[in-house]
Amino acid sequence: MQYDTAAAIYTDLTVPSTSLLGLVLLLLVTLPLAAVAGFYTGKSRRATVLQQGKEIDMVVGETTLGAIMALLGLLLAFTFGNALTISQARKATLTEEAAALGTAFLRADYLAEPGRTELQKALLTYAETRVIADRAHRPEGFTPQEFLEETLSAQAVLWPLTLEATGGDTPPAIQSMVASAMNDALDAHLYRMQTSTLPISTYTHLMLLAAALMALFLLGNRAGMLGRQLTWRTFVLSGFLFFVMTTILDTQRGGEGLIRIDDTALKATIFDMRTALEGRT
């Protein structure tokens, strides 16, 4: 397959198509509604069975309900663990990139002018493109490829400037030191991109939602079949499922919600770069 730009290669880099608030409202409505729907379905079935003169099976649905509950617990553990792992990896790679950019900027101080300032300005420009705005601050029609086009364009000038600035009479030790730091800064992009895609697929989220809805439906259905009332205990389970599933979604969304990726290290590095350059003029 032919690609026009390097950014086009990242075909699997995606952003969520639905806002976190929309998904939270969906869970808030559908989870208790599944229990209510199951209850009235069971109640209707109970009336039909009694009208036919048959007896109600007192252990109706126990095996199925137990199996669905076990499956739901497994899916919750898997998705929560996956989301937490990816969230920690994103924080780590962002901090490592901030450190790499800061090191490359400082080591460039050993170079002679005008190459030193030109390289440091290019590093600052590149670092500023590495901060991804959250959903609320994205321009209309934002795509990951647009971010990549911008950041890769800024990245493309770094190595040529490094070669130019370390040429001439620059001692080999300084050449090696600056080039090594620049390589680390460039490689940090690859690690950031590796953790930028969604941690688990949309189908896995749908599977988890289906299991939660089915578990609550069967729980309400069993209560209705046995002639019991739909008590607060069922809605407590619904509430806990809501909070756990919301936490999973929130953990996966680093740019929105309550659990956000802390990019203070990168912003502090950019501030230090800008301050150093302003103090030189």
Side-chain angles (χ1 to χ4, degrees):
M1 182 179 294
Q2 298 294 325
Y3 297 99
D4 297 330
T5 62
I9 298 176
Y10 293 89
T11 56
D12 293 331
L13 183 62
T14 57
V15 293
S17 58
T18 306
S19 68
L20 179 61
L21 179 59
L23 293 175
V24 170
L25 292 176
L26 177 66
L27 292 175
L28 185 63
V29 173
T30 57
L31 290 176
L33 188 61
V36 173
F39 173 75
Y40 283 105
T41 301
K43 190 174 181 180
S44 175
R45 177 59 181 167
R46 173 185 173 84
T48 301
V49 171
L50 292 178
Q51 287 177 359
Q52 294 175 351
K54 300 179 181 179
E55 294 184 356
I56 301 296
D57 185 0
M58 300 305 295
V59 293
V60 59
E62 280 189 356
T63 302
T64 303
L65 179 59
I68 290 294
M69 286 294 189
L71 177 61
L72 176 60
L74 178 64
L75 291 174
L76 286 172
F78 168 74
T79 52
F80 186 84
N82 185 279
L84 186 61
T85 299
I86 296 297
S87 177
Q88 293 296 331
R90 287 174 175 172
K91 294 177 182 178
T93 54
L94 190 147
T95 302
E96 290 168 0
E97 181 173 35
L101 288 169
T103 299
F105 185 88
L106 292 177
R107 289 189 181 182
D109 276 331
Y110 287 95
L111 301 175
E113 293 289 5
R116 177 182 68 161
T117 300
E118 290 181 3
L119 181 57
Q120 289 180 326
K121 286 182 178 180
L123 274 168
L124 173 59
T125 300
Y126 174 64
E128 290 172 340
T129 67
R130 304 303 294 168
V131 180
I132 304 178
D134 60 24
R135 177 183 291 272
H137 296 88
R138 291 171 185 166
E140 189 68 24
F142 170 87
T143 65
Q145 278 65 36
E146 290 176 351
F147 157 74
L148 285 171
E149 288 287 357
E150 180 184 13
T151 194
L152 291 178
S153 296
Q155 183 192 93
V157 304
L158 292 178
W159 188 249
L161 286 176
T162 302
L163 294 177
E164 182 179 349
T166 56
D169 298 330
T170 304
I174 294 180
Q175 290 179 346
S176 177
M177 180 181 64
V178 174
S180 175
M182 186 60 67
N183 275 327
D184 291 340
L186 296 176
D187 289 342
H189 164 77
L190 301 178
Y191 300 117
R192 280 279 302 276
M193 292 301 100
Q194 185 65 28
T195 60
S196 293
T197 53
L198 294 176
I200 57 177
S201 68
T202 302
Y203 299 105
T204 305
H205 280 297
L206 292 176
M207 181 170 58
L208 175 60
L209 178 60
L213 293 177
M214 182 56 65
L216 290 169
F217 180 88
L218 291 177
L219 194 62
N221 184 264
R222 175 172 167 76
M225 282 290 293
L226 297 179
R228 300 171 181 170
Q229 295 298 317
L230 196 60
T231 64
W232 58 270
R233 296 179 180 85
T234 302
F235 295 105
V236 166
L237 174 61
S238 171
F240 271 107
L241 285 176
F242 167 76
F243 284 114
V244 172
M245 294 174 72
T246 299
T247 301
I248 292 173
L249 291 172
D250 198 3
T251 304
Q252 293 174 344
R253 307 292 184 94
E256 56 181 325
L258 299 177
I259 306 175
R260 302 196 178 197
I261 296 177
D262 184 8
D263 59 355
T264 304
L266 182 57
K267 291 179 179 178
T269 299
I270 293 172
F271 175 81
D272 290 340
M273 290 180 179
R274 188 179 295 115
T275 302
L277 289 174
E278 290 175 352
R280 190 174 301 168
T281 58

